[in-house]
Amino acid sequence: MNIVFYATLEQADRNALQNASVVVIDVLRASSTIVAALESGAERIIPIADIETASRLVRPAERDKKLLAGERKGLPVPGFDLSNSPAEFTPARVRGRTIVLTTTNGTRAVTAASKAGRIVVCSLTNLHAAAAALRGEPEVVVLCCGAEGSMAAEDLFCGGLLLQSLGPAVAPESLSDAARIAGALAERFGGNAEAFLRSTDHGRRLVGLGFEADVAFCARVGVSACVPTVKEGVIVS
Ligand code: MLT
């Protein structure tokens, strides 16, 4: 399997995403939240890049069946039903409902890849399930979201663990420097994902904002069999 590895969304060549098999990684927290929401029985998730468009997509009469969720700078969006804390997406809150989700980086990446042949959402929580779903692909584009143009160590770390999980299926000669740096992070810190996530820029920011439990939630490796994929712009499991 040939690997094309992008350390940030801004680095990604949009042409290379077209018709490709793309795996989107935003560990803290969008990918983890998407997995948690679908695992809790959410019907579907509509990823939206901006708050205005998201708000327009939910009419007042629909607010029971269609929930607004998201964050900016890690904080809940005023007037929304849910933030981007994965633990908030419980069966009681989301089962059978549609979620309109907008986040700083994760949903921008999913919408940026909208012309891809296939999109899989990967977090640490569904790592091995995502790897299994990708096995057999001749080429995979690993799209780490990063944070507004900067690399996010947690996304590279997850990308490295994903390559490890894919194992001998990966063509080593296809690995770029970014992919190899990701592999080195996974090698070095794979033994304690939570400690690593807490040491990252966004991990520290989230802890500072009081979202310590979210960091622990997102650090659980391979606990979910849910593999979110995108069908006509909507994320389903
Ligand atoms: C993002 O999309 O940037 C993240 O998911 C932000 C967050 O949840 O804190």
Side-chain angles (χ1 to χ4, degrees):
M1 176 192 294
N2 198 47
I3 298 291
V4 177
F5 197 102
Y6 293 117
T8 68
L9 171 58
E10 285 69 16
Q11 269 179 12
D13 167 1
R14 301 307 162 98
N15 297 327
L17 300 181
Q18 289 204 8
N19 307 318
S21 291
V22 178
V23 54
V24 173
I25 298 177
D26 184 1
V27 173
L28 292 176
R29 294 165 288 179
S31 291
S32 310
T33 296
I34 290 166
V35 169
L38 292 172
E39 208 164 35
S40 289
E43 193 74 25
R44 56 197 190 130
I45 298 169
I46 305 175
I48 300 291
D50 67 286
I51 291 174
E52 297 65 37
T53 309
S55 307
R56 275 201 305 277
L57 274 178
V58 183
R59 292 193 303 278
E62 293 177 300
R63 291 297 290 256
D64 177 37
K65 287 297 286 169
K66 216 172 177 183
L67 303 175
L68 277 168
E71 60 68 48
R72 284 299 179 272
K73 303 212 175 304
L75 296 168
V77 178
F80 275 28
D81 305 293
L82 296 158
S83 75
N84 198 32
S85 271
E88 271 182 42
F89 295 74
T90 59
R93 202 73 185 82
V94 304
R95 184 179 296 288
R97 293 185 166 92
T98 292
I99 297 169
V100 175
L101 179 68
T102 181
T103 72
T104 310
N105 302 284
T107 54
R108 269 193 316 122
V110 173
T111 50
S114 58
K115 294 201 177 58
R118 182 183 182 205
I119 304 174
V120 163
V121 175
C122 178
S123 62
L124 291 175
T125 56
N126 74 338
L127 185 81
H128 302 306
L134 293 165
R135 228 165 247 114
E137 288 285 356
E139 178 165 283
V140 169
V141 175
V142 178
L143 180 53
C144 296
C145 291
E148 298 178 285
S150 304
M151 276 190 287
E154 66 273 12
D155 293 347
L156 290 176
F157 174 67
C158 182
L161 287 173
L162 178 68
L163 296 177
Q164 266 184 12
S165 189
L166 287 165
V170 170
E173 66 280 5
S174 75
L175 298 178
S176 64
D177 287 356
R180 291 166 54 218
I181 290 167
L185 283 176
E187 202 62 42
R188 174 73 179 75
F189 300 105
N192 190 338
E194 185 172 343
F196 182 70
L197 259 54
R198 291 175 68 94
S199 74
T200 66
D201 293 349
H202 199 43
R204 281 180 283 142
R205 186 177 307 117
L206 288 172
V207 170
L209 291 170
F211 296 117
E212 195 151 357
D214 285 0
V215 177
F217 187 104
C218 298
R220 299 162 311 132
V221 178
V223 295
S224 171
C226 173
V227 180
T229 57
V230 180
K231 298 246 176 333
E232 285 137 31
V234 170
I235 307 173
V236 292
S237 80

